[in-house]
Amino acid sequence: MHYVTDKPVEATLPPHCTLLLIVDPVSTACRIAQEASKRGHRIGAIWTNTIDTDERDPARYGCASLRYKFELIEGRDWTATNGEEIAAVQSVVNEAARSFNLTIAGCITGSGLPRSSQLADGLAKQMGLSPCTTPTTMIDVRNKFTQQTLLDTANLRSIKQVRGSSLDDEEIASFLDSEKYPLVVKLDQIGIRGGKIKACHTKQEAVDHFQHLSQVLASSNNLTGAQIICQEYLRGVEVMVDSVSHNSKHKTCMVWRYDKRPANGERHVNFGMIPMESETHEAALAIPYVRKCLDAMGMKNGPSHAKCIVTVDGPVMIELNFRAHGGDGSWCHLARALTDGYSQVEASVDALLDPAAFDLLPDAPIGPFNAYGLQVHLVSHSSGEVTSMPGFQVMKHLPSFVSLSTDVTVGSLIEYTTSFSTSPGVCVLMNKDETKLNKDLDLLRYLEEINALFDYKTKVESLARPTAATYSKQQNMNSRMDDLEKPSLVRIYSNDPKLTRQGMLMKRMTTIDASKEVVVVVDPYSTGCLVVNEIRNRGYQVIACWTLGFSEEMKTHTPGAAGEMKYFAEVDEQEDLADTLKAIYKAAGKLRVVACIAGGEAGVDCADACSERMDLRTNGTNVANRRDKKIQQELIRDAGMRSVRQAAGSKWEHVVEFLQTEHYPVVLKPTDSAGSDGVKLCHNIEEAKEHFHHLFEVEAVNGGFNTEVLCQEFLRGKEYVVDQVSRDGIHKTMMVWVYDKRPANNSAFVYFGMVPVDPNSMEAKILIPYARGVLDVLGVQNGPSHAEVILTPTGPCLVEMNVRAHGGDGNWRSLARGLTGGYSQVEVTVDSYLDKKQFSITPNLPPTPFKASGQEVILVSYFRGRVIGTPGYDIIRDLQSFVYMETGIKVGSFVERTVDLLTGIGSVILMHEDESVLNADISRVREMELNNELFEFERSGAMLTNASQRHLSEICVGDDF
């Protein structure tokens, strides 16, 4: 609130002898102080401890030249003790005024926060100053519930509302049951952290937000006695009316219309404020209504800004704030240019300190305006850490550019703009030529759309594909954030037996008595669980051998298709190989051990060593450290095959020379990584160094810690996967896949799917012999393998060879069986160890053409929010080509935009005999992603106050107003 002396400043009193007190002068209050200072008045700043030290610099609000005559700081110059705060502040204020021979001419609150306003109120009354409102309404006038009550008493259109502190309150319960939704739930006081305003579209949503606000009040100790309001939801044009009053005479300084549109998955993102001439329909209705509201609330002196909704039935007040329009006053340059040189800032100083000048101001801005202009709220369609702001430089050279207000600097973190709090700044544009203004506005919006406002620190991109573990990992991460129970994966299968029969387990006859034999599977997880079930389905028992350090979490990493895992026995690897074998034989008892197979990446070395010592089919240990990605590259290089330039080491000094000379980006990963574990794309040496040290600090996905880091050149080209199975050095190709990777959501590498490659294609004819050559060089004679290869302009180059089955939880299995006519790497892996005849008749290559058309479609989200429905699942399940879907997203999950592994949302297997049906279904899925039809998101709350750059971190998400 604002106060002035009962007696106007004497004409003979020099301006420099007058003092304007401002409690917490921040945002637009700094501009008012600067204007008063320019006119020769002195400014005294009184700081409460609600304002942080770094927020007290006038330069932060575009007022670098402003100087205070004195500053009185709570805790340093005065202290609130025993309820004597007002007297303590008055004492130091009077002493300061006397020492500078100044006469106090007014007292104003600069922030509008309750503490500032209460102190300004108390000082004014104690000093005998006239308040801006009448004493009868002064106490509660800032309370939003009280405001609506005063309007109702004055027979003015007000919002239907109730207030209370408990859902058990009869009025609250009745209102939530009877009022039409959506409705608004909010606190009746501002300035309480976490107390956001929300438009609730269901009763449950309203109850949930009411309970949230109750917790906010409880955690804040609710010293102010705040309560919770439930209000009707208004539809119409949202306007802001800026006024200044003197002795109950109200003058309108500007009317603004909010420009709100859908963006970044939110329905109502603020794109700016557009000035409205007083004669326009909405302004002509809002101006007289607001003045009646000011009278109803007893407003007498000083600035105010009112937010209204102009409905079909006329204007309705949302809230009235007894301070200047916020936003750091970035709008005042535009307002001055549109009028004849004044804005609410100048009019406020007139009303406080120069009543004669105030009387000369027009009753409302006279149209037409002197120019065309608007306040543009910048909207970011990307996120990241800022390294430069090229868009700002372009903006500043626009012919219509007036000013830019932003807190963004190098190092700032930019988010997708979904609310006031995530806007990167405000730009004011103005031009006498409307065509030129619109041209500049179009260019500015184009810069936003192409993400040209900022350059970002290059993201550390992951190069590995999403898996079921990824989807559950995202939910685990979000669960920790939201303190929710970790949800399980959602798996949906087709009901069409023609599409799913290929994925069913088949019992294959053998020529031996399998019931008396047992197979050891080392670290059976992911696809390894499907291999276990295939073995058991043929009548064998299975012993699970868990390697040293293998994590308990990974032991439960079981694909949905595998069901509950049952083992004949489970043993742990021992420190000594002989002890490990002893444990295996003891567990086997009378059963004969006939094979020892790696069930996952972590089990390869142990399986090789055990099978070799037990004289079973094996790859042996003659090639030491076969899993080591560095050694793989060295071996194929020595064999004359294309390999990756690389360096590895356990210390930074071992790799720094390579990283200083290699072209960027480069790939860093542990030398014995499994799948996506620790694999990152680094775009400069700083990122590489950071990730190098990071890898030694984190536990590997399979357990244990990394001992060496591999740094490699980044191979440019498409990434392929070659799945094979070997027996006695004869390699048979199960499938060749190519990853569908594209830019999305401002990330360079987002996985969109995995597509089978015809074995008769030119690519396959190049890749298959190369992959088989790698197997020979690495001494891989038996069992499954999974090669990741980049087809570069100079030919194929190995990324890594994994001597185990293709991972991804084997989600691809049913697709592979449909394409081949009945087999996949899973079945043939078991054949290679246990059924020589069946392996011998397995084709050398998959059939061409394939028996059907299909692919794995990896789902991509372009939107974010809390999921309240999954309508897209039903549509996907009804697609003609649908086979299987796996996702970690269900009702209650929080979805982020897909940019990497952790933000993956699931995958779908599609397959059909008719390729045109498949393509149509893929297009439908992609269409649903783009149109936000996969999920129904919880609607976020509505923000009802204008953004001040000072309080960006404190403002909550707004959506529906």
Side-chain angles (χ1 to χ4, degrees):
M1 298 181 187
H2 313 282
Y3 302 94
V4 295
T5 56
D6 286 327
K7 299 179 180 179
V9 179
E10 298 293 338
T12 56
L13 185 65
H16 66 266
C17 291
T18 58
L19 174 68
L20 176 63
L21 297 175
I22 305 182
V23 181
D24 294 335
V26 295
S27 189
T28 307
C30 282
R31 296 189 184 271
I32 293 175
Q34 183 170 259
E35 176 65 23
S37 182
K38 287 179 181 178
R39 300 187 189 186
H41 304 281
R42 298 295 183 260
I43 310 298
I46 302 171
W47 296 109
T48 68
N49 57 19
T50 58
I51 306 298
D52 294 335
T53 302
D54 62 348
E55 296 178 302
R56 298 172 183 175
D57 182 5
R60 183 178 180 133
Y61 314 106
C63 301
S65 63
L66 175 61
R67 298 292 183 271
Y68 300 120
K69 190 65 178 179
F70 58 80
E71 297 181 64
L72 303 177
I73 301 174
E74 183 178 8
R76 186 193 73 179
D77 302 301
W78 55 278
T79 304
T81 56
N82 300 323
E84 298 298 326
E85 178 180 43
I86 302 302
V89 177
Q90 182 186 10
S91 176
V92 294
V93 166
N94 287 337
E95 182 181 348
R98 283 195 300 269
S99 66
F100 293 110
N101 193 26
L102 297 173
T103 300
I104 300 173
C107 181
I108 221 184
T109 178
S111 72
L113 295 174
R115 179 78 192 288
S116 303
S117 300
Q118 290 164 6
L119 180 55
D121 290 351
L123 280 174
K125 287 188 288 185
Q126 198 74 17
M127 294 177 176
L129 303 174
S130 295
C132 68
T133 58
T134 59
T136 55
T137 63
M138 181 176 62
I139 295 175
D140 293 322
V141 77
R142 293 185 309 275
N143 186 287
K144 310 311 176 188
F145 187 89
T146 302
Q147 288 184 356
Q148 297 297 326
T149 301
L150 290 171
L151 296 180
D152 188 57
T153 301
N155 294 318
L156 294 172
R157 173 69 164 93
S158 61
I159 302 176
K160 289 185 290 183
Q161 62 176 5
V162 293
R163 179 174 61 173
S165 56
S166 171
L167 288 168
D168 295 330
D169 290 351
E170 185 176 342
E171 283 190 325
I172 296 291
S174 176
F175 191 85
L176 295 182
D177 285 334
S178 61
E179 181 61 26
K180 183 179 179 181
Y181 285 84
L183 54 78
V184 177
V185 180
K186 64 180 182 179
L187 296 179
D188 63 355
Q189 294 183 21
I190 65 170
I192 299 177
R193 189 177 296 275
K196 72 176 182 178
I197 303 167
K198 185 171 184 178
C200 301
H201 292 254
T202 65
K203 180 180 178 181
Q204 186 58 52
E205 199 174 352
V207 168
D208 290 345
H209 192 58
F210 194 102
Q211 292 174 334
H212 164 73
L213 293 179
S214 296
Q215 293 173 355
V216 168
L217 292 178
S219 62
S220 67
N221 296 320
N222 197 16
L223 299 177
T224 61
Q227 292 183 289
I228 301 168
I229 300 176
C230 300
Q231 292 180 329
E232 68 171 305
Y233 175 81
L234 299 172
R235 289 179 171 84
V237 178
E238 183 178 1
V239 300
M240 177 81 75
V241 181
D242 294 342
S243 304
V244 175
S245 306
H246 177 67
N247 289 338
S248 299
K249 182 177 183 181
H250 315 300
K251 296 194 175 185
T252 304
C253 298
M254 188 60 67
V255 179
W256 310 86
R257 176 174 63 83
Y258 285 107
D259 174 16
K260 292 187 177 181
R261 320 175 205 166
N264 294 321
E266 295 292 339
R267 295 174 58 197
H268 299 286
V269 174
N270 191 22
F271 277 66
M273 290 199 308
I274 303 170
M276 304 177 69
E277 293 182 354
S278 304
E279 295 78 16
T280 60
H281 174 70
E282 290 85 0
L285 291 174
I287 290 173
Y289 170 79
V290 167
R291 291 178 179 177
K292 292 178 182 178
C293 292
L294 291 171
D295 288 335
M297 296 181 196
M299 179 66 178
K300 295 178 64 179
N301 298 286
S304 61
H305 69 279
K307 179 178 289 187
C308 302
I309 301 290
V310 181
T311 72
V312 293
D313 299 322
V316 184
M317 178 75 68
I318 301 299
E319 64 183 34
L320 182 61
N321 296 282
F322 297 94
R323 57 174 172 82
H325 183 162
D328 295 352
S330 57
W331 42 265
C332 66
H333 303 292
L334 174 60
R336 280 197 296 266
L338 298 181
T339 61
D340 288 320
Y342 74 96
S343 72
Q344 190 185 40
V345 170
E346 290 76 22
S348 295
V349 177
D350 289 343
L352 290 166
L353 303 171
D354 193 349
F358 178 82
D359 289 339
L360 296 176
L361 293 175
D363 186 63
I366 299 173
F369 289 141
N370 295 332
Y372 300 93
L374 75 164
Q375 188 182 64
V376 180
H377 286 224
L378 301 180
V379 175
S380 173
H381 300 281
S382 57
S383 64
E385 182 178 338
V386 174
T387 58
S388 64
M389 296 83 71
F392 287 178
Q393 296 306 313
V394 175
M395 206 179 301
K396 291 174 182 177
H397 287 87
L398 295 175
S400 305
F401 177 78
V402 175
S403 67
L404 173 66
S405 178
T406 178
D407 284 339
V408 177
T409 59
V410 172
S412 296
L413 296 177
I414 298 296
E415 300 179 37
Y416 290 87
T417 301
T418 56
S419 64
F420 285 124
S421 63
T422 49
S423 170
V426 176
C427 176
V428 174
L429 298 180
M430 183 182 61
N431 202 302
K432 291 199 175 280
D433 187 329
E434 187 177 13
T435 302
K436 292 181 180 179
L437 173 72
N438 290 333
K439 183 178 180 181
D440 289 348
L441 178 61
D442 289 343
L443 177 57
L444 192 155
R445 294 304 184 197
Y446 179 68
L447 292 175
E448 294 173 335
E449 290 175 7
I450 65 173
N451 297 320
L453 291 179
F454 310 110
D455 285 333
Y456 295 114
K457 179 179 179 181
T458 308
K459 293 180 180 178
V460 182
E461 303 285 358
S462 174
L463 300 183
R465 71 178 296 278
T467 66
T470 300
Y471 311 138
S472 61
K473 186 181 293 184
Q474 180 198 36
Q475 290 311 301
N476 192 26
M477 174 184 67
N478 288 326
S479 297
R480 288 194 299 270
M481 291 168 55
D482 298 324
D483 198 26
L484 298 173
E485 182 181 355
K486 176 181 175 181
S488 58
L489 286 171
V490 177
R491 297 180 171 101
I492 302 173
Y493 300 87
S494 171
N495 294 321
D496 187 347
K498 292 186 296 182
L499 294 178
T500 57
R501 65 174 182 268
Q502 294 92 351
M504 298 298 102
L505 297 173
M506 285 192 331
K507 186 168 183 177
R508 195 173 272 170
M509 297 302 296
T510 64
T511 57
I512 55 179
D513 188 357
S515 64
K516 296 180 180 180
E517 297 171 331
V518 66
V519 176
V520 178
V521 181
V522 185
D523 291 341
Y525 66 98
S526 186
T527 308
C529 295
L530 302 182
V531 173
V532 167
N533 280 354
E534 179 68 20
I535 294 170
R536 293 182 66 252
N537 216 40
R538 298 191 190 187
Y540 296 90
Q541 298 292 342
V542 175
I543 294 175
C545 177
W546 303 109
T547 55
L548 287 170
F550 194 76
S551 72
E552 292 298 319
E553 182 181 1
M554 289 302 294
K555 291 179 183 179
T556 63
H557 183 171
T558 305
E564 182 181 357
M565 299 305 298
K566 296 181 179 179
Y567 302 107
F568 179 75
E570 297 182 55
V571 300
D572 293 323
E573 181 188 19
Q574 305 299 306
E575 294 289 348
D576 182 76
L577 178 59
D579 291 337
T580 301
L581 296 179
K582 188 181 298 183
I584 290 173
Y585 285 127
K586 181 179 179 181
K590 295 181 180 180
L591 298 181
R592 184 167 68 98
V593 179
V594 293
C596 182
I597 306 173
E601 182 67 24
V604 171
D605 292 341
C606 180
D608 286 344
C610 289
S611 58
E612 183 180 54
R613 184 69 66 88
M614 289 188 288
D615 199 25
L616 302 173
R617 186 167 302 283
T618 184
N619 289 315
T621 58
N622 59 313
V623 177
N625 298 322
R626 185 184 285 113
R627 286 179 59 219
D628 189 309
K629 314 310 178 190
K630 173 175 174 285
I631 290 177
Q632 289 181 358
Q633 297 294 334
E634 291 173 348
L635 289 172
I636 65 172
R637 182 191 62 207
D638 293 343
M641 302 178 71
R642 171 72 161 95
S643 62
V644 179
R645 296 189 301 273
Q646 63 179 12
S650 58
K651 297 182 179 179
W652 176 248
E653 306 88 78
H654 299 163
V655 299
V656 66
E657 183 178 356
F658 172 82
L659 293 173
Q660 286 175 336
T661 57
E662 181 61 29
H663 293 295
Y664 281 84
V666 297
V667 177
L668 269 70
K669 57 185 175 182
T671 54
D672 58 353
S673 62
S676 64
D677 187 24
V679 182
K680 297 294 180 182
L681 182 67
C682 302
H683 292 256
N684 54 56
I685 194 168
E686 290 79 16
E687 287 184 14
K689 184 175 183 179
E690 179 182 353
H691 190 57
F692 181 91
H693 293 300
H694 170 73
L695 287 174
F696 290 106
E697 297 170 354
V698 296
E699 185 177 3
V701 67
N702 293 329
F705 288 87
N706 301 309
T707 58
E708 192 176 44
V709 173
L710 180 61
C711 307
Q712 294 180 326
E713 70 168 302
F714 174 62
L715 299 171
R716 300 183 185 277
K718 285 189 176 182
E719 183 179 0
Y720 293 82
V721 170
V722 184
D723 292 339
Q724 305 195 88
V725 178
S726 307
R727 179 182 169 94
D728 295 334
I730 297 174
H731 313 301
K732 296 191 175 184
T733 303
M734 301 295 99
M735 191 62 63
V736 179
W737 312 88
V738 61
Y739 287 133
D740 176 11
K741 292 193 292 187
R742 320 173 203 168
N745 293 320
N746 201 40
S747 182
F749 302 103
V750 174
Y751 281 89
F752 278 72
M754 189 173 69
V755 183
V757 177
D758 190 314
N760 199 38
S761 66
M762 183 61 67
E763 294 87 349
K765 290 179 178 179
I766 295 172
L767 292 162
I768 291 172
Y770 175 84
R772 291 180 177 180
V774 172
L775 290 173
D776 290 336
V777 170
L778 298 182
V780 178
Q781 299 288 304
N782 296 286
S785 61
H786 167 74
E788 297 178 7
V789 183
I790 300 291
L791 192 54
T792 74
T794 58
C797 184
L798 180 72
V799 175
E800 59 185 41
M801 176 65 78
N802 302 284
V803 190
R804 40 88 179 168
H806 184 160
D809 285 357
N811 290 341
W812 42 266
R813 184 188 184 190
S814 57
L815 173 58
R817 297 191 67 169
L819 299 178
T820 62
Y823 69 90
S824 75
Q825 190 184 41
V826 172
E827 295 78 30
V828 181
T829 291
V830 179
D831 293 340
S832 71
Y833 285 98
L834 303 173
D835 195 336
K836 176 181 179 180
K837 181 180 178 180
Q838 184 63 40
F839 181 83
S840 67
I841 63 175
T842 299
N844 181 50
L845 298 171
T848 180
F850 291 130
K851 303 295 185 181
S853 297
Q855 65 174 265
E856 179 182 15
V857 176
I858 298 176
L859 300 177
V860 174
S861 174
Y862 296 93
F863 302 87
R864 67 189 298 272
R866 179 77 59 190
V867 175
I868 61 174
T870 56
Y873 291 178
D874 293 333
I875 297 174
I876 290 174
R877 183 166 41 199
D878 290 339
L879 296 175
Q880 293 185 60
S881 62
F882 174 74
V883 176
Y884 173 76
M885 178 169 70
E886 183 164 86
T887 174
I889 308 302
K890 62 182 183 179
V891 172
S893 300
F894 193 91
V895 170
E896 294 285 355
R897 297 175 184 85
T898 304
V899 295
D900 55 19
L901 293 176
L902 291 179
T903 49
I905 58 173
S907 72
V908 179
I909 300 296
L910 299 179
M911 181 171 61
H912 200 275
E913 295 174 354
D914 188 336
E915 186 177 6
S916 63
V917 172
L918 172 72
N919 291 334
D921 287 352
I922 293 172
S923 297
R924 181 69 182 104
V925 173
R926 299 305 182 201
E927 180 182 279
M928 286 193 291
E929 293 171 337
L930 290 170
N931 295 335
N932 193 24
E933 297 174 1
L934 287 178
F935 308 114
E936 181 182 357
F937 292 115
E938 174 182 329
R939 297 176 176 88
S940 54
M943 184 64 218
L944 299 185
T945 57
N946 189 23
S948 166
Q949 298 301 309
R950 178 179 90 65
H951 289 297
L952 284 184
S953 62
E954 300 176 12
I955 298 176
C956 302
V957 174
D959 188 299
D960 289 282
F961 280 77

